[in-house]
Amino acid sequence: DQQVKQNSPSLSVQEGRISILNCDYTNSMFDYFLWYKKYPAEGPTFLISISSIKDKNEDGRFTVFLNKSAKHLSLHIVPSQPGDSAVYFCAALPTGANSKLTFGKGITLSVRP
Amino acid sequence: DGGITQSPKYLFRKEGQNVTLSCEQNLNHDAMYWYRQDPGQGLRLIYYSQIVNDFQKGDIAEGYSVSREKKESFPLTVTSAQKNPTAFYLCASSIGVETQYFGPGTRLLVL
Protein backbone atom coordinates (compact mmCIF):
# COMPACT_ATOMS: atom_id res chain seq x y z
CA ASP A 1 0.00 0.00 0.00
CA GLN A 2 1.80 3.07 -1.28
CA GLN A 3 1.20 6.04 0.95
CA VAL A 4 3.21 8.46 -1.18
CA LYS A 5 2.54 8.28 -4.89
CA GLN A 6 4.41 9.82 -7.76
CA ASN A 7 2.27 8.53 -10.57
CA SER A 8 4.24 9.92 -13.50
CA PRO A 9 7.54 8.07 -13.80
CA SER A 10 9.10 10.64 -16.10
CA LEU A 11 8.82 14.21 -17.36
CA SER A 12 10.59 15.97 -20.20
CA VAL A 13 10.66 19.76 -20.54
CA GLN A 14 12.46 22.34 -22.61
CA GLU A 15 15.20 24.40 -21.00
CA GLY A 16 13.82 27.68 -19.67
CA ARG A 17 10.28 26.33 -19.26
CA ILE A 18 8.55 25.34 -16.05
CA SER A 19 8.81 21.81 -14.66
CA ILE A 20 5.93 20.65 -12.49
CA LEU A 21 6.44 17.45 -10.53
CA ASN A 22 3.43 16.05 -8.73
CA CYS A 23 3.04 13.95 -5.61
CA ASP A 24 -0.06 12.55 -3.90
CA TYR A 25 -0.38 11.02 -0.47
CA THR A 26 -3.00 9.00 1.32
CA ASN A 27 -2.04 9.21 4.99
CA SER A 28 -3.77 12.17 6.63
CA MET A 29 -1.22 11.98 9.47
CA PHE A 30 1.53 13.28 7.20
CA ASP A 31 2.33 16.85 8.17
CA TYR A 32 5.78 17.53 6.76
CA PHE A 33 6.86 17.01 3.18
CA LEU A 34 10.25 17.04 1.49
CA TRP A 35 11.63 16.86 -2.01
CA TYR A 36 14.94 15.20 -2.74
CA LYS A 37 16.95 15.26 -5.95
CA LYS A 38 19.08 12.31 -6.98
CA TYR A 39 21.67 11.89 -9.70
CA PRO A 40 22.58 8.35 -10.88
CA ALA A 41 24.89 6.44 -8.53
CA GLU A 42 24.76 9.20 -5.93
CA GLY A 43 22.82 9.72 -2.72
CA PRO A 44 19.75 11.97 -2.74
CA THR A 45 20.23 15.58 -1.76
CA PHE A 46 17.63 17.60 0.10
CA LEU A 47 15.97 20.22 -2.08
CA ILE A 48 13.06 21.87 -0.31
CA SER A 49 10.44 21.10 2.31
CA ILE A 50 7.06 22.32 3.47
CA SER A 51 5.11 22.02 6.68
CA SER A 52 1.39 21.36 6.63
CA ILE A 53 0.72 24.73 8.21
CA LYS A 54 1.83 26.35 4.96
CA ASP A 55 0.58 26.02 1.41
CA LYS A 56 3.67 27.32 -0.34
CA ASN A 57 7.41 27.45 0.21
CA GLU A 58 9.86 29.03 -2.17
CA ASP A 59 13.62 28.76 -2.51
CA GLY A 60 15.12 30.35 -5.58
CA ARG A 61 13.92 28.52 -8.68
CA PHE A 62 12.14 25.89 -6.60
CA THR A 63 8.66 26.26 -5.16
CA VAL A 64 6.64 23.59 -3.41
CA PHE A 65 2.86 23.89 -3.18
CA LEU A 66 0.75 21.89 -0.74
CA ASN A 67 -2.99 21.27 -1.08
CA LYS A 68 -3.95 19.48 2.12
CA SER A 69 -7.58 18.95 1.22
CA ALA A 70 -6.54 17.18 -1.98
CA LYS A 71 -3.57 15.46 -0.31
CA HIS A 72 -1.45 16.73 -3.14
CA LEU A 73 1.82 18.57 -3.43
CA SER A 74 3.83 19.75 -6.37
CA LEU A 75 7.34 20.98 -7.02
CA HIS A 76 7.75 23.78 -9.56
CA ILE A 77 11.12 24.52 -11.10
CA VAL A 78 11.32 27.79 -12.99
CA PRO A 79 13.22 28.21 -15.22
CA SER A 80 14.29 24.61 -15.80
CA GLN A 81 17.95 24.02 -16.56
CA PRO A 82 19.73 20.98 -18.04
CA GLY A 83 21.47 20.46 -14.69
CA ASP A 84 18.06 19.87 -13.13
CA SER A 85 17.85 16.55 -15.00
CA ALA A 86 17.67 13.97 -12.21
CA VAL A 87 15.27 11.78 -10.28
CA TYR A 88 13.08 13.69 -7.83
CA PHE A 89 11.68 11.94 -4.79
CA CYS A 90 8.78 13.21 -2.76
CA ALA A 91 8.85 12.19 0.91
CA ALA A 92 6.39 12.62 3.75
CA LEU A 93 6.65 12.53 7.53
CA PRO A 94 3.78 11.93 9.95
CA THR A 95 3.42 13.55 13.32
CA GLY A 96 5.11 11.82 16.24
CA ALA A 97 8.59 11.60 17.76
CA ASN A 98 9.36 8.20 16.26
CA SER A 99 8.01 8.91 12.82
CA LYS A 100 9.82 7.81 9.68
CA LEU A 101 10.05 9.29 6.22
CA THR A 102 8.00 7.58 3.52
CA PHE A 103 9.32 8.05 -0.01
CA GLY A 104 7.57 7.96 -3.34
CA LYS A 105 9.05 6.02 -6.26
CA GLY A 106 10.50 9.11 -7.88
CA ILE A 107 10.08 11.03 -11.11
CA THR A 108 12.83 11.23 -13.72
CA LEU A 109 13.07 14.79 -15.04
CA SER A 110 14.84 15.45 -18.31
CA VAL A 111 15.48 19.06 -19.31
CA ARG A 112 16.24 19.40 -23.00
CA PRO A 113 18.71 22.10 -24.05
CA ASP B 1 34.35 18.90 5.83
CA GLY B 2 31.21 17.54 7.45
CA GLY B 3 29.35 14.77 5.75
CA ILE B 4 28.41 11.14 5.41
CA THR B 5 30.74 8.60 3.90
CA GLN B 6 29.86 5.13 2.71
CA SER B 7 32.30 2.44 1.72
CA PRO B 8 32.92 0.65 -0.45
CA LYS B 9 31.35 2.22 -3.53
CA TYR B 10 30.89 -1.23 -5.07
CA LEU B 11 30.69 -4.52 -3.21
CA PHE B 12 30.45 -8.05 -4.52
CA ARG B 13 28.90 -10.84 -2.53
CA LYS B 14 29.19 -14.55 -3.10
CA GLU B 15 26.35 -16.94 -2.37
CA GLY B 16 26.03 -17.65 1.33
CA GLN B 17 28.36 -14.84 2.32
CA ASN B 18 27.70 -12.06 4.80
CA VAL B 19 28.95 -8.62 3.82
CA THR B 20 29.11 -5.39 5.79
CA LEU B 21 28.54 -1.92 4.40
CA SER B 22 30.15 0.97 6.22
CA CYS B 23 28.48 4.29 7.04
CA GLU B 24 30.22 7.07 8.95
CA GLN B 25 29.08 10.61 9.66
CA ASN B 26 30.80 13.55 11.29
CA LEU B 27 27.74 15.77 11.42
CA ASN B 28 27.08 14.97 15.07
CA HIS B 29 23.63 13.69 14.09
CA ASP B 30 21.83 11.46 16.54
CA ALA B 31 19.72 9.56 14.03
CA MET B 32 20.99 7.31 11.25
CA TYR B 33 19.17 5.28 8.63
CA TRP B 34 19.71 2.59 6.02
CA TYR B 35 17.67 2.51 2.83
CA ARG B 36 17.61 0.24 -0.16
CA GLN B 37 16.83 1.46 -3.67
CA ASP B 38 15.87 -0.89 -6.49
CA PRO B 39 15.39 0.21 -10.12
CA GLY B 40 12.13 2.08 -10.56
CA GLN B 41 11.47 1.97 -6.84
CA GLY B 42 11.58 4.53 -4.11
CA LEU B 43 13.75 4.31 -1.06
CA ARG B 44 12.72 1.58 1.34
CA LEU B 45 13.79 1.76 4.97
CA ILE B 46 15.80 -1.19 6.27
CA TYR B 47 16.84 -0.12 9.77
CA TYR B 48 17.15 3.11 11.67
CA SER B 49 18.74 4.26 14.89
CA GLN B 50 17.75 7.34 16.82
CA ILE B 51 20.42 7.04 19.48
CA VAL B 52 23.57 5.09 20.24
CA ASN B 53 23.04 1.45 21.26
CA ASP B 54 19.46 1.50 20.01
CA PHE B 55 17.96 0.70 16.63
CA GLN B 56 14.64 -0.32 15.13
CA LYS B 57 13.55 -2.37 12.15
CA GLY B 58 12.26 -0.55 9.14
CA ASP B 59 9.95 -1.87 6.46
CA ILE B 60 12.29 -4.49 4.98
CA ALA B 61 14.63 -5.58 7.79
CA GLU B 62 14.62 -9.31 7.04
CA GLY B 63 18.05 -10.57 6.04
CA TYR B 64 19.84 -7.53 7.41
CA SER B 65 21.45 -6.61 10.72
CA VAL B 66 22.92 -3.40 12.14
CA SER B 67 24.80 -2.10 15.13
CA ARG B 68 25.16 1.37 16.64
CA GLU B 69 28.06 1.26 19.05
CA LYS B 70 29.23 4.77 18.22
CA LYS B 71 27.28 7.91 17.35
CA GLU B 72 29.18 8.40 14.10
CA SER B 73 28.97 4.84 12.78
CA PHE B 74 26.06 2.68 11.64
CA PRO B 75 27.26 -0.40 9.72
CA LEU B 76 24.81 -2.62 7.85
CA THR B 77 25.40 -6.35 7.42
CA VAL B 78 23.67 -8.08 4.54
CA THR B 79 23.37 -11.68 5.67
CA SER B 80 23.06 -14.84 3.61
CA ALA B 81 19.38 -14.85 4.58
CA GLN B 82 18.77 -11.90 2.26
CA LYS B 83 17.83 -13.70 -0.94
CA ASN B 84 17.78 -10.69 -3.23
CA PRO B 85 20.59 -8.43 -2.03
CA THR B 86 21.46 -6.76 -5.34
CA ALA B 87 20.55 -3.09 -4.88
CA PHE B 88 21.85 0.39 -4.21
CA TYR B 89 22.19 0.96 -0.47
CA LEU B 90 21.94 4.43 0.99
CA CYS B 91 22.82 5.60 4.47
CA ALA B 92 21.41 8.81 5.89
CA SER B 93 21.56 10.81 9.10
CA SER B 94 19.53 13.57 10.67
CA ILE B 95 19.41 15.76 13.75
CA GLY B 96 15.71 15.27 14.36
CA VAL B 97 13.17 13.33 12.38
CA GLU B 98 12.93 15.81 9.54
CA THR B 99 15.59 16.53 6.95
CA GLN B 100 17.84 13.58 6.29
CA TYR B 101 21.25 13.88 4.68
CA PHE B 102 22.41 11.01 2.52
CA GLY B 103 25.73 9.41 1.79
CA PRO B 104 26.91 8.58 -1.75
CA GLY B 105 25.65 4.99 -1.62
CA THR B 106 27.06 1.49 -2.04
CA ARG B 107 26.07 -0.74 -4.93
CA LEU B 108 25.95 -4.39 -3.91
CA LEU B 109 26.19 -7.05 -6.59
CA VAL B 110 25.94 -10.80 -6.26
CA LEU B 111 28.51 -13.00 -8.00
Side-chain angles (χ1 to χ4, degrees):
Chain A
D1 177 34
Q2 247 193 304
Q3 297 186 60
V4 177
K5 301 178 184 180
Q6 296 178 262
N7 292 320
S8 302
S10 62
L11 175 68
S12 180
V13 300
Q14 192 73 38
E15 180 178 6
R17 299 290 183 98
I18 184 171
S19 295
I20 300 177
L21 289 73
N22 293 309
C23 179
D24 297 290
Y25 62 96
T26 58
N27 188 343
S28 57
M29 297 300 291
F30 288 146
D31 69 350
Y32 194 78
F33 304 89
L34 304 92
W35 283 93
Y36 283 85
K37 175 180 177 180
K38 184 182 180 302
Y39 292 116
E42 293 185 10
T45 54
F46 169 72
L47 201 53
I48 192 169
S49 62
I50 187 167
S51 165
S52 60
I53 62 173
K54 294 185 173 183
D55 56 15
K56 176 182 174 182
N57 189 27
E58 192 172 351
D59 184 3
R61 296 186 297 114
F62 302 92
T63 303
V64 56
F65 295 92
L66 176 62
N67 183 334
K68 281 186 66 179
S69 60
K71 293 191 176 69
H72 176 84
L73 63 154
S74 60
L75 174 67
H76 292 212
I77 306 174
V78 181
S80 301
Q81 299 173 353
D84 295 329
S85 298
V87 178
Y88 290 79
F89 290 100
C90 171
L93 192 65
T95 53
N98 295 320
S99 52
K100 302 169 290 182
L101 275 178
T102 298
F103 286 84
K105 290 188 175 184
I107 301 171
T108 300
L109 173 66
S110 299
V111 180
R112 307 184 304 272
Chain B
D1 249 26
I4 303 175
T5 57
Q6 289 185 244
S7 62
K9 191 172 178 68
Y10 295 95
L11 185 59
F12 297 91
R13 192 191 92 163
K14 295 180 181 178
E15 292 288 338
Q17 186 182 39
N18 292 355
V19 292
T20 297
L21 285 63
S22 168
C23 177
E24 304 278 331
Q25 54 100 358
N26 59 6
L27 300 168
N28 201 33
H29 288 171
D30 287 316
M32 296 187 75
Y33 311 81
W34 274 105
Y35 292 90
R36 168 180 172 143
Q37 186 192 13
D38 295 281
Q41 299 292 319
L43 279 65
R44 292 186 290 168
L45 184 64
I46 304 172
Y47 267 98
Y48 65 106
S49 167
Q50 294 181 313
I51 198 168
V52 175
N53 293 322
D54 187 49
F55 48 83
Q56 286 81 40
K57 292 182 179 180
D59 301 318
I60 53 166
E62 186 175 347
Y64 300 97
S65 66
V66 292
S67 63
R68 186 84 188 279
E69 297 176 2
K70 299 185 296 182
K71 186 175 185 178
E72 57 270 21
S73 178
F74 191 40
L76 172 75
T77 296
V78 184
T79 74
S80 56
Q82 173 49 244
K83 298 307 178 190
N84 186 21
T86 298
F88 190 52
Y89 289 87
L90 288 158
C91 178
S93 70
S94 65
I95 296 175
V97 297
E98 295 172 349
T99 309
Q100 294 180 14
Y101 296 89
F102 285 83
T106 293
R107 184 163 297 282
L108 177 62
L109 299 164
V110 177
L111 294 176

